[in-house]
Amino acid sequence: MSNGSPPAPRGALGGAVLLALAALAVSCGSGPGQSGATEGDGVPPARESASSPGGDTTDDTPDDDGDDGSPSSGRGPLSGKVVVIDPGHNPGNRKHAGEIGRSVDIGTGRKECDTTGTSTNDGYSEASFTLDVARRIRKLLEAEGATVKLTQDGSRPYGPCVDERARIGNEARADAAVSVHADGSATGNRGFHVILPAKVKEGSADTGRIVGPSRDLGERIAAAFMKRTGSAPSNYVGDKGLDVRSDLGGLNLSKIPKVFIECGNMRDSREADRLTSAKWRRRAAQGIADGIGAHLKQ
C-alpha cells in the first residue's frame, strides 16, 4: 500500500500543530514501516473475547451506552451542525465474506466493499473498537448541540460498503465526517495518524473542494487527539501524524470535509494495552470530538 506525504500545513494553525506534533515525535522516534490497510487490511481477526482483554471495560461511558442516535436538543455551541461518524468495518463482516468481498467503484479504481478489519493478538477486534469510540464521540458532540449520524451502529449484518459510507455523509449534508480506525501493522510500529484526502478528479471522485477544509479538520483532530491521549504521531507512516492518500473510497467519494484517523496499531502489544482500555478509549473519543468541535466552531 502506498502512502503519500502531505505538504506542510499553511498558516498559524498549521505551524502550531506541527510544532506540537514535532515535540512528541522526537520522543517516539521515526522509522520505516508500512501501514495496515484502512478500509480493510484483510487480516482475519482473532477470536473475539467476551470482554476487552485489557480488563478495563467500565467507566462513565460503557461500550454500548444505549444511545439511539436521535438528534440532540440543538442547544450548545455546535447547534445546527451535522457530523457523520464512520466506525470502520462491522463486527458482523466476518460472517459475510461474499457480500463484503464484492468490488465497488472508489473513483480511482475498484476496491472490495469492506473487510473484517484487524484485531489485537488477544482477540479484541478493530470493529468493536471503532464502534465503541464512535458511540462515545456521538455522545460528546450531541452534548454540545450537534446532530450526529453514525454510518452503522451495530444493527446491520455487515458493511456498509466504502462507497455507501461516503454517500451517507454526502446525503446528510454533514459539516464534517470522521472515519474511526485502528491499524494492523508490524510490532514496533506505534502512534496515531490522520489520513487526509488527496486532490483527486477521476471517475466519480472529485475532492477539489474538500481538500482544504479536510486538512484543517485533520490538523485540529491530530492536535487534540495527541493532547487528550498522550499518544505520539506514527513512527511508521505519514509526516508528523498526517498522511495523504488517494486510494480510499471513503475519502475519494466524499463531497464534505472528511478524514480518517488510525488511533493506534492493534498488533503492537504496547499499543494494544491502550486500545483495549475503556478509559483510554474515552480519552481518544474526547480528543476526536474536541478536534471536530474546533473545526466547526471557527
Side-chain angles (χ1 to χ4, degrees), residues 71-76 78-80 142 144-147:
S72 68
S73 64
R75 298 172 184 171
L78 297 182
S79 175
E142 287 184 339
E144 292 200 71
T147 297

Side-chain angles (χ1 to χ4, degrees), residues 136-178:
R136 295 170 187 269
I137 297 169
R138 175 174 64 191
K139 191 170 185 177
L140 291 165
L141 291 176
E142 287 184 339
E144 292 200 71
T147 297
V148 183
K149 182 177 181 63
L150 267 58
T151 58
Q152 60 93 7
D153 197 10
S155 58
R156 295 179 59 131
Y158 65 91
C161 296
V162 297
D163 56 340
E164 184 182 353
R165 290 173 187 267
R167 189 161 60 249
I168 289 170
N170 296 341
E171 292 177 352
R173 297 184 180 180
D175 297 285
V178 176

